[in-house]
Amino acid sequence: MLSQLALSIKESPTLKLNETAALLRDKGEPVIHLGGGEPKSRAPIDAIIGCASLLNTGEVRYTPADGIPALKKAVIRYTEEHYDRSVLPENVIVSSGAKQSIMVALHAILDPHDEVIFPAPYWVSYPEMVRLAGGVPVVVTAGDGSFQPTFDEIAAAVGSSTKAIILNSPNNPSGVVYTDDFVRQVVEFCEKRGIWLLMDDTYNRLVYDGRSPTNCYAFTPEDVERSKVVVINCVSKMYAMTGFRIGWAVGNRDLVKAMSNIQSQQTSGPAAPSQWAAIGALNGVQHSVSALRATLENNRNVLVARLRAIPGVKVTAPGGTFYTFPDFSAYEKKSHVLAAMLLDKVRVVTVPGKEFGMEGHLRISFCGTLKEITEGVQRIQWALDPNAPNELFLGGRRLLRDGL
Ligand SMILES: Cc1ncc(COP(=O)(O)O)c(C=O)c1O
C-alpha cells in the first residue's frame, strides 16, 4: 500500500505532455508541440567547455551539498550585477534546478498545515510541492479576471497559518510581469509581517519591449540577514540549459543552512559536470541570453498576432517568459476538453489552463520555431472554425474534418 502522500500527488502535467508528444512523434504522427517549457537553442559554448573540462579530467566527484565554491562565486557576481545586492557564500545554495531550490526552501520553512499563498494562474508544480512539504496551498485569483491579483487580495488571504508567499514574475503560464508597485507592496508586507517570500525569478531575464527585470531587492533591507525574501534562479531557461538541472537560491544564512542540511540528506550536491557547465554559462560571454531574448520576442509578436486573428480568442500580450495564456472560453470552457480535442484532431499539444488554476485558457508556448508557431496556430484555427474548409494538409497528409 502506498502512502497517503504518494496517492495524493499528481504527476507533472507538463512533463507528461512532453512524453505524450514524444510517443506520438515516434509513431510518425506530425505533432506540433506548443506546450513545451524549454528554448530550442543550444547551451552556450562556455557552458559546454566548462563541463567538458571537468569530464576530461575523469575525476567527477561529490561536491559540497550546497554547491562548489566557484559556482557560488559566480552566483554572487550574478546577484551583484542583476540585483545590485552583495551577498556571501553562506547566503547561496545551488540545487538540482530551481525546482529543488523551491522544494528544499519549502521543506525548511513549513510545519504541517502551514499555508503558502500564491496567485493564479500559477506554475503547475507549486500546489503539489507545497503539499509534499506538508503545507496547504492557498490560491489567490484576481477578482477582475486578470492575471495579477491586487495587493489587497493577497493580503486578505493571509491568516495566522500563513508561512510563505510565492511570487513568480514574469509568470508561467501568463507571461505577465507583475507591476513593480505590486511586488514592492508584497515584499514590504512580508518583511513587516515576518512571512517568507519566495521570489521565483526563473524567467527574470526573459523580458521584452525593452523593459528591465523587476528587482525585488530594491524593496528589502540592505542586510540580507534581516530579510525574509528568498530569490530563486536557474540556468535552465535563460541559457537554454534545462537538462543540466542547475538552480540556486539566495536568502538569509539561517534559512540557507537549513536548506543545505535538507539537500545534503536528500540528493547531496548537484551533479558536478552540470555545476561546471553553469559556471561556464554565468562567467562566459552573455551574448546567448540577448540572442534568445530577441528570438523569443519576435516569436511572441508573431504568436500574439496570429492568435488575435482567431475570432473570440482573448490574448494578453506576455511581457516576459515564452508562454501565452489565451482565453478560449468562447469555444470551450473546459480546458482539458479543448486541449484533448486539439491533440486528437490536429496533433497540436497545448497545456490546459486548469493545470495552472484558470479554466477556459490554454498555455501556448513560443519557445519553438516560427514555423511550428504559425502552423500550430493555423491548425488550431482550423479545428475551431466551423466554417473552415473541410480539408487541411497536415505534415504531408490530407485531413478531412469529418474523417478525424
Ligand atoms: C516558474 C518556474 N519555476 C521553476 C521552474 C523549474 O526550473 P528548473 O528546470 O530549473 O528546475 C520552472 C520550469 O518550468 C518554472 O516555470
Side-chain angles (χ1 to χ4, degrees):
M1 182 65 180
L2 297 175
S3 70
Q4 291 303 314
L5 181 64
L7 293 172
S8 72
I9 298 297
K10 284 196 305 189
E11 180 177 10
S12 162
T14 41
L15 295 183
K16 171 99 186 129
L17 276 170
N18 287 344
E19 284 168 28
T20 308
L23 280 174
L24 285 169
R25 275 201 184 120
D26 283 351
K27 284 197 211 152
E29 297 281 351
V31 173
I32 293 186
H33 193 355
L34 297 183
E38 51 191 346
K40 292 291 186 314
S41 41
R42 298 169 75 102
I45 187 69
D46 293 310
I48 303 303
I49 293 171
C51 182
S53 317
L54 177 73
L55 292 176
N56 276 335
T57 68
E59 294 184 20
V60 184
R61 313 279 185 226
Y62 287 130
T63 73
D66 54 351
I68 49 186
L71 181 48
K72 286 189 164 207
K73 209 164 154 191
V75 167
I76 289 168
R77 246 202 21 187
Y78 182 90
T79 309
E80 268 160 18
E81 185 181 339
H82 295 284
Y83 293 93
D84 196 20
R85 184 56 51 108
S86 299
V87 293
L88 296 169
E90 294 77 31
N91 301 118
V92 177
I93 174 170
V94 179
S95 309
S96 300
K99 201 173 218 172
Q100 192 185 22
S101 282
I102 298 168
M103 197 65 241
V104 287
L106 292 171
H107 272 299
I109 288 169
L110 298 180
D111 283 313
H113 313 301
D114 280 344
E115 292 180 357
V116 179
I117 294 173
F118 43 86
Y122 48 77
W123 180 40
V124 282
S125 292
Y126 294 149
E128 303 307 280
M129 291 166 90
V130 168
R131 282 192 200 101
L132 270 174
V136 179
V138 176
V139 176
V140 176
T141 305
D144 63 2
S146 74
F147 296 146
Q148 180 195 295
T150 62
F151 165 69
D152 289 340
E153 285 171 322
I154 297 278
V158 172
S160 55
S161 300
T162 306
K163 206 57 172 294
I165 295 176
I166 307 177
L167 289 189
N168 168 224
S169 172
N171 175 265
N172 175 3
S174 68
V176 155
V177 182
Y178 294 150
T179 61
D180 278 358
D181 206 38
F182 172 71
V183 174
R184 178 186 57 75
Q185 284 177 301
V186 177
V187 170
E188 288 175 358
F189 177 80
C190 287
E191 297 290 18
K192 198 164 138 211
R193 296 281 292 266
I195 295 171
W196 294 102
L197 176 59
L198 306 190
M199 291 296 302
D200 183 345
D201 276 10
T202 288
Y203 301 92
N204 189 259
R205 287 175 72 197
L206 297 179
V207 285
Y208 312 122
D209 308 314
R211 71 193 297 166
S212 311
T214 309
N215 179 5
C216 57
Y217 282 123
F219 318 120
T220 64
E222 193 65 38
D223 179 3
V224 70
E225 301 307 338
R226 291 194 297 115
S227 175
K228 287 286 192 179
V229 173
V230 188
V231 180
I232 290 124
N233 266 295
C234 56
V235 293
S236 307
K237 315 285 176 170
M238 66 176 153
Y239 295 111
M241 290 172 61
T242 45
F244 284 89
R245 312 303 307 122
I246 294 294
W248 63 87
V250 175
N252 75 47
R253 72 175 74 196
D254 290 345
L255 175 70
V256 167
K257 178 72 183 125
M259 288 168 66
S260 305
N261 290 347
I262 293 166
Q263 194 164 285
S264 76
Q265 301 295 358
Q266 201 177 54
T267 51
S268 305
S274 293
Q275 292 194 61
W276 280 104
I279 292 167
L282 288 171
N283 291 346
V285 185
Q286 296 302 298
H287 167 73
S288 67
V289 182
S290 37
L292 177 63
R293 195 186 298 120
T295 305
L296 291 174
E297 183 161 353
N298 185 43
N299 286 2
R300 175 204 64 169
N301 295 343
V302 172
L303 177 61
V304 168
R306 301 279 165 131
L307 286 170
R308 284 194 173 145
I310 307 179
V313 174
K314 289 188 223 135
V315 192
T316 304
T321 72
F322 34 74
Y323 312 107
T324 45
F325 201 51
D327 180 349
F328 283 89
S329 53
Y331 291 93
E332 171 60 64
K333 290 198 169 42
K334 292 199 182 94
S335 55
H336 271 103
V337 171
L338 183 59
M341 185 278 274
L342 292 175
L343 184 59
D344 190 39
K345 245 187 149 183
V346 283
R347 294 290 185 251
V348 175
V349 182
T350 57
V351 192
K354 188 162 184 259
E355 303 290 355
F356 307 94
M358 228 175 229
E359 263 300 12
H361 295 252
L362 294 178
R363 191 187 77 176
I364 299 184
S365 307
F366 49 93
C367 51
T369 62
L370 269 182
K371 186 170 179 299
E372 286 171 319
I373 292 167
T374 47
E375 192 181 326
V377 178
Q378 192 195 354
R379 291 188 195 183
I380 293 175
Q381 186 158 13
W382 182 76
L384 295 177
D385 181 0
N387 300 317
N390 203 36
E391 63 178 15
L392 179 77
F393 285 93
L394 185 60
R397 282 194 310 167
R398 179 168 164 264
L399 293 186
L400 288 176
R401 178 174 297 281
D402 299 334
L404 284 164

